Each structure stands twice: as structure tokens, then as C-alpha cells.
Amino acid sequence: MKQYDNVVIFDHPLIKHKIAILRDENTSMKEFRELVEEITTLMTYESLKEDVPTTEKEVKTPLEVCTQRVVKDNAIVIVPILRAGLGMVNGIHVLFPSARVGHIGMYRDEETLQPQSYYCKLPTGIEEKLVLVVDPMLATGGSACDAIQLLKDRGCKHIKFMAIIGAPEGVTRVAEAHPDVKIYVSTLDRCLNDKGYILPGLGDAGDRLFGTK
Ligand code: PRP
Ligand code: URA
């Protein structure tokens, strides 16, 4: 795959270890859910290291008052793409407990693989925030592209996208359609199969998170 300035592939050994367990078809729903959260926390820590919104605050130690840099309250909005993106929300809330959450509902038409949008509820004032769009799977890239476009149409200017597993097709599509959006992917898989599933992948993330199959 071509290199893009707006794409970061983590390839971190600890994250890869957790993804190996995630892929295993024998991993239980509970363990799957916990791993998605843990991986998301690790990804968030890395993705935001350069631009966590911060502010200064006076802190009184037992000895004196000092000025400290702290994370700005309510500066981040998490936007999961339903359903599977929901599994990543708690993993970010661990680090940013005051982050508001917007929801975008999309499902892929099984025949055409085109994303169908069915729900959108975003917090007021989202335009001024750092928006983290999350979905564990970046396959053809259709859902991510449409979700990001929807946010831009609502006035969002600072958007990042995080996926746990990406296919080269999807990463390329989002990187080229939205060069101003930084894309973070934990691991890059080989390709898509003829049904649009990522190989080797982990199957259907929504079904594995919520036990629907
Ligand atoms: C999955 C996944 C992404 C989308 C990725 O959702 O969670 O949203 O597919 O595919 P794409 O990159 O080709 O658009 P799905 O459509 O299965 O809906 P679900 O989360 O409700 O199961
Ligand atoms: N959505 C999934 O949940 N898994 C894939 O492999 C592709 C899209």
C-alpha cells in the first residue's frame, strides 16, 4: 500500500498480541468486548499524545501553589459508528471521562457493500471539539468516509478516525477522500474477500461484540 502522511499504522507488539486473541474464533464475547476496550485505550493514548486539548490550572500542594497543565474538560467528542464502534467508547472514556458521545448509525448493504445511514445524534457544539470517530473495522472504507463527510457537513473541522483492523482498500480510500483527517489503524490486514470481509480479520465485529450470531 502507498504511504500517506495522514495514516498511522501502530504495529505495537502489545496491541498485536491483543489483536491475535481478538481474531481467534474461540474468544468469548466477554473477552472480545474487554479486548476491544483495552486496545482502544492504548490506541487513544498514542493517537492523542500530540494534541490532547489542555489548559492551565492552579494546584495547591502541601507546600505551595503551582500552575499545572491539565486536560481540558469536555474538549473531545467520541463518535462511534454503530454498532461495532460502540465497543470502543468505554476504552476512550477511561482516559477522557467527560467526553461527550455522538452516534452515527450505518450498516453495509450486504449486496452492494454501500453504507446505509440510519441514525445520527451529535452533541451541540461539536464543531469546536476534537472529534474521534471510532469503528473497529475499516474494510472498503465506505462507512468511515460517509461518517466523516457527515461530520464535516455539520461543521466539524478537527476529526481523527481510529480503527483496530484496516484493509489496504479502506485505508487508501479514507486517506485519499479525507487528507485532512488523521487515520490511526492498529494493524493492516491483507485484503478483502468477495463479500467485503477483511482477511484474515476477525469476522463480523458487531456480531462478536453483541452476540448476534
Ligand atoms: C461493519 C463495521 C463498519 C463497516 C466497515 O459494520 O463495524 O462499520 O462494517 O465496512 P466498510 O469499511 O466496508 O464500510 P456493519 O455494516 O457490519 O454494521 P454493524 O456494526 O451494525 O454490524
Ligand atoms: N465489517 C466487519 O465487521 N468485519 C469485516 O471484516 C468487514 C466489515
Side-chain angles (χ1 to χ4, degrees):
M1 195 188 81
K2 203 177 132 188
Q3 301 258 312
Y4 293 94
D5 288 344
N6 60 328
V7 175
V8 176
I9 314 274
F10 286 129
D11 279 332
H12 189 291
L14 185 56
I15 298 182
K16 288 194 107 148
H17 175 87
K18 290 178 187 293
I19 293 176
I21 307 170
L22 208 57
R23 293 187 196 278
D24 189 331
E25 63 176 1
N26 293 316
T27 296
S28 70
M29 185 174 70
K30 175 177 181 285
E31 202 179 356
F32 191 92
R33 196 166 54 230
E34 290 168 354
L35 283 163
V36 166
E37 286 186 21
E38 285 170 21
I39 293 166
T40 305
T41 303
L42 294 171
M43 290 185 76
T44 307
Y45 178 79
E46 224 11 65
S47 319
L48 295 187
K49 67 180 176 201
E50 272 145 27
D51 45 7
V52 174
T54 60
T55 184
E56 288 194 336
K57 183 185 171 188
E58 298 249 293
V59 175
K60 189 171 178 303
T61 77
L63 301 174
E64 63 176 15
V65 173
C66 55
T67 305
Q68 294 291 294
R69 194 144 277 284
V70 294
V71 174
K72 212 167 170 181
D73 214 28
N74 186 19
I76 285 180
V77 173
I78 311 165
V79 177
I81 302 178
L82 308 184
R83 291 176 297 162
L86 283 176
M88 298 174 74
V89 173
N90 286 349
I92 303 174
H93 267 152
V94 167
L95 300 178
F96 296 96
S98 68
R100 305 289 192 263
V101 182
H103 296 86
I104 294 181
M106 300 240 169
Y107 71 91
R108 290 196 313 177
D109 181 293
E110 284 182 13
E111 297 297 319
T112 64
L113 299 183
Q114 293 306 307
Q116 311 294 317
S117 158
Y118 62 88
Y119 187 75
C120 181
K121 181 83 178 172
L122 302 171
T124 50
I126 190 171
E127 318 78 48
E128 307 310 323
K129 312 285 185 193
L130 168 56
V131 181
L132 276 183
V133 185
V134 294
D135 193 327
M137 309 304 277
L138 178 53
T140 66
S143 306
C145 275
D146 282 13
I148 292 167
Q149 191 55 53
L150 192 154
L151 289 162
K152 286 184 174 176
D153 293 344
R154 295 284 181 101
C156 299
K157 294 171 280 295
H158 193 182
I159 303 171
K160 288 173 181 274
F161 177 78
M162 287 202 313
I164 295 179
I165 299 185
E169 296 88 330
V171 175
T172 300
R173 182 164 167 191
V174 184
E176 291 187 356
H178 297 289
D180 54 325
V181 172
K182 197 102 180 232
I183 301 156
Y184 300 88
V185 177
S186 273
T187 195
L188 189 66
D189 272 9
R190 198 172 70 248
C191 62
L192 298 176
N193 71 9
D194 58 1
K195 291 192 164 57
Y197 277 85
I198 301 175
L199 295 176
L202 50 72
D204 188 303
D207 285 339
R208 295 197 62 184
L209 275 166
F210 301 113
T212 35
K213 257 193 194 138

